Amino acid sequence: GAEAFAPGSSLIRPPSSVRAGIANSPLRMQQSSWSSTVLDGTMPGDRGFDPLKFANSIPKLRIYREAELKHGRFAMLAVLGFTVQEFYTFPFFPHMAPVDAHDYCVTAGCGSQVIFWISFVEIFGVVALFETLQGKREPGDFAFDPLGLAKSEAVLEKYRLAEIKHSRLAMIAIGGFIHQYWVTKQTVFEQLGNFKSLA
């Protein structure tokens, strides 16, 4: 059953001091029809919001958190690339709006390269996902900390919370950037300097 994939408490629960802070947070949703029974505040960024009851078991919760972090990390890179490209492009690449660059890549044939490398990365993602379901690793944790920023468990929890917050914001932001360009034909900083009303 699903219990076979449920990790030990030491793998999913932050320190008691952190859990106490989460439980007493005024921002946490009270148990209601909008929340899920498995959302108990032990995961960073968990505010008990799951109105469609997607996370109705621990394995599903860990799968969704893995997916959320993966998409969030790509979204943060996309936001950075989207904004930097307004000011700089590689010498071998024509200068154009980031949204138009997608269509250019497709017609130029580099889209297949993107798909290839993403598929290559996904191979490691599948292996990591199985380890997550077996409770061998935290969702999204690849033990990648070359600068040694996580000096303690408390600091690590702080960075985990910051990452999930920035991930969620970036996913919303990149969607906003793209739809803004479709509607106004203005890039992000172009619209900031010369706002075009939709009215």
Side-chain angles (χ1 to χ4, degrees), residues 5 8-9 11 18 22 42 50 90 93 104 138 150 164 167 191:
F5 294 102
S9 59
L11 286 171
V18 176
I22 294 172
T42 55
D50 185 17
F90 290 112
F93 198 87
Y104 174 84
E138 285 289 322
I164 196 65
S167 293
Q191 189 177 57

Side-chain angles (χ1 to χ4, degrees), residues 92-94 96 100-113:
F92 53 82
F93 198 87
M96 62 183 68
D100 295 332
H102 169 270
D103 297 335
Y104 174 84
C105 273
V106 172
T107 56
C110 54
S112 57
Q113 296 183 36

Side-chain angles (χ1 to χ4, degrees), residues 140-193:
D141 184 3
F142 289 92
F144 181 76
D145 185 17
L147 300 180
L149 298 176
K151 302 181 184 301
S152 67
E153 188 65 27
V155 174
L156 179 59
E157 287 300 316
K158 174 185 174 183
Y159 282 124
R160 282 175 174 166
L161 179 59
E163 182 182 34
I164 196 65
K165 285 183 175 180
H166 291 127
S167 293
R168 291 166 177 170
L169 181 60
M171 286 187 281
I172 296 172
I174 192 63
F177 290 173
I178 294 171
H179 285 82
Q180 168 191 298
Y181 183 78
W182 284 343
V183 173
T184 66
K185 298 303 178 185
Q186 290 180 302
T187 56
V188 177
F189 288 100
E190 182 183 359
Q191 189 177 57
L192 286 175

Side-chain angles (χ1 to χ4, degrees), residues 21-101:
I22 294 172
N24 296 326
S25 171
L27 298 177
R28 173 156 181 79
M29 289 190 65
Q30 299 299 314
Q31 189 68 33
S32 68
S33 60
W34 294 93
S35 59
S36 171
T37 55
V38 298
L39 295 177
D40 58 0
T42 55
M43 277 191 168
D46 171 15
R47 297 300 176 186
F49 183 75
D50 185 17
L52 298 181
K53 302 293 189 298
F54 284 128
N56 54 17
S57 67
I58 293 295
K60 283 188 177 180
L61 176 61
R62 294 173 72 81
I63 289 173
Y64 288 136
R65 174 49 62 93
E66 185 87 27
E68 184 178 27
L69 283 169
K70 181 189 296 183
H71 288 92
R73 288 164 179 169
F74 275 117
M76 287 188 282
L77 290 172
V79 167
L80 178 63
F82 203 97
T83 52
V84 169
Q85 192 172 326
E86 290 190 43
F87 303 100
Y88 175 81
T89 54
F90 290 112
F92 53 82
F93 198 87
H95 183 74
M96 62 183 68
V99 174
D100 295 332

